[in-house]
Amino acid sequence: MDKVLIVRLSAIGDLVMASPLIGAFKRTWPQARLTWLVEETSKAVLEANPGLDEIIVWPRARWRKLLRDRRYLTLLKEIRSFVAELRKRRFDLAVDAQGLLKSGIWVWLSGARERVGIGSREGSRFLMTEVISREGASDGLSSQYLLLAEALGLETEPFEMEMALSDDAEKYARQFKRSIGSEYIVFAPFTTRPQKHWIQKRWPKVAHHLFCELGLKTVILGGWGDVEAADRMVENASGIINLAGKTSLQQAGAVIARSSLLIGVDTGLTHMGIALEVPTIALFGATRPYLDTTGTSGEVLYHKLDCSPCRRSPTCDGDFTCMKAISAEEVIRTARRLLTAP
């Protein structure tokens, strides 16, 4: 196999979980040229990875703007040019690691002779030459991508997530740690859907307890859209440093890599913590993508109810009972155990 395309467009956490495919391909076909097609908002997960020969960015946001502005001719020209550039690479194999129509279309348009999808939905199965079922995936992290790799005959030992960090990001994190002058833990409390959030007032309680007991400061990470919520969280709280909206994704990863512990909800930063081998506590309720982090330093706190996991269709009228079931005391006990483990 000479030229391989992987298509996993988003989101950050899913890209982290799909990252073991890079090593698996490179171990199996060391000389193959490996390309990944991704959206602009998620490319930072991959951009420092030495196993990739090329990253192609799908300019989805720009195309949407052209469509809104009714610049149809410009949009059509850009799409045609993008497809031509994709086909020019003459891929032998294209893999749809997302399994949706939006990813399957690009696998098909790539012109690859072999087109393999995992659990292809929304009609994308008709664009593949082979579809791998998701049935049989375990509760382990990245298990569906392991199924895909095994079906492709790839060398899957070890099958580990990767979050490569740039030199600039590493430099930022070193300077940050020197500036605060102490060890710290990271909170990743924000995500895209309210049913995945933990109870807001419990975060400062955990931070205060670990600061008083172990002398660990807390760093809150998040994006631009999380700034207001983060500001509310740190009101009248001591020992908390708010970096929400102040770091790039690569810088956030480097800050996580130097932390003593990460506590987060089902969000990309939490998966990054596990990939970076930082002790991690993942708080799950409405979603349950995995229960086994496949390592010794990660733990999932999840209390299954009759209605869980509800994913995108909560039935609790905004009460989010599953997340309320995770108490601050449970998080503190788990944090203490992971922080004092050999």
Side-chain angles (χ1 to χ4, degrees), residues 210-274:
L210 295 178
F211 179 67
C212 292
E213 180 180 343
L214 301 174
L216 292 169
K217 293 181 180 178
T218 294
V219 176
I220 296 179
L221 292 175
W224 286 104
D226 306 317
V227 171
E228 186 177 336
D231 287 341
R232 290 196 302 268
M233 197 174 290
V234 300
E235 285 180 1
N236 303 317
S238 58
I240 300 181
I241 301 165
N242 183 5
L243 289 186
K246 299 176 182 177
T247 67
S248 68
L249 189 61
Q250 276 279 317
Q251 289 170 340
V255 169
I256 290 170
R258 283 166 173 73
S259 67
S260 300
L261 174 76
L262 183 147
I263 305 173
V265 295
D266 182 10
T267 189
L269 295 177
T270 302
H271 306 316
M272 285 167 54
I274 298 172

Side-chain angles (χ1 to χ4, degrees), residues 176-183 217:
F176 169 75
K177 190 166 185 176
R178 281 199 299 268
S179 72
I180 64 173
S182 71
E183 298 296 315
K217 293 181 180 178

Side-chain angles (χ1 to χ4, degrees), residues 42 46 66 74 104 117 136 139 163 185 228 230 254 266 271 276 313 334:
S42 303
L46 305 169
L66 290 175
T74 301
D139 282 335
M163 179 63 198
I185 65 173
E228 186 177 336
D266 182 10
H271 306 316
L276 291 164
S313 304
T334 308

Side-chain angles (χ1 to χ4, degrees), residues 33-225:
R33 180 173 177 80
L34 190 58
T35 301
W36 197 303
L37 178 63
V38 68
E39 289 185 37
E40 174 73 30
T41 53
S42 303
K43 73 170 184 176
V45 174
L46 305 169
E47 61 188 8
N49 195 305
L52 288 174
D53 297 288
E54 183 181 19
I55 296 172
I56 300 175
V57 176
W58 173 34
R60 184 185 186 186
R62 171 172 168 77
W63 289 0
R64 280 183 166 178
K65 186 176 187 305
L66 290 175
L67 187 61
R68 286 196 304 270
D69 294 344
R70 299 183 180 181
R71 296 174 61 188
Y72 303 126
L73 184 58
T74 301
L75 175 60
L76 181 59
K77 287 181 178 179
E78 291 194 10
I79 292 174
R80 291 181 64 181
S81 176
F82 191 86
V83 172
E85 284 295 317
L86 199 61
R87 285 178 170 265
K88 189 186 297 183
R89 288 159 173 81
R90 298 185 180 278
F91 294 109
D92 301 297
L93 169 66
V95 175
D96 180 5
Q98 193 156 356
L100 299 177
L101 184 59
K102 68 176 182 179
S103 53
I105 285 175
W106 289 116
V107 166
W108 180 64
L109 289 173
S110 73
R113 296 191 305 271
E114 293 184 55
R115 302 182 301 278
V116 181
I118 177 73
S120 300
R121 297 180 286 145
E122 302 175 344
S124 63
R125 66 184 183 277
F126 300 113
L127 306 176
M128 304 296 121
T129 58
E130 183 181 359
V131 174
I132 309 303
S133 173
R134 282 191 173 96
E135 291 183 12
S138 70
D139 282 335
L141 192 59
S142 298
S143 60
Q144 65 174 321
Y145 305 109
L146 178 59
L147 281 179
L148 176 59
E150 290 172 341
L152 291 168
L154 304 183
E155 187 178 328
T156 58
E157 290 294 336
F159 199 73
E160 297 175 344
M161 296 190 300
E162 304 177 40
M163 179 63 198
L165 300 170
S166 68
D167 291 340
D168 287 344
E170 296 273 24
K171 180 180 178 181
Y172 171 88
R174 286 195 299 270
Q175 292 175 341
F176 169 75
K177 190 166 185 176
R178 281 199 299 268
S179 72
I180 64 173
S182 71
E183 298 296 315
Y184 61 88
I185 65 173
V186 165
F187 282 176
F190 309 115
T191 185
T192 53
R193 283 174 272 160
Q195 64 264 33
K196 296 199 293 182
H197 286 153
W198 195 39
I199 312 307
Q200 181 175 301
K201 65 182 180 181
R202 295 181 185 176
W203 291 101
K205 181 177 181 179
V206 173
H208 178 74
H209 188 98
L210 295 178
F211 179 67
C212 292
E213 180 180 343
L214 301 174
L216 292 169
K217 293 181 180 178
T218 294
V219 176
I220 296 179
L221 292 175
W224 286 104

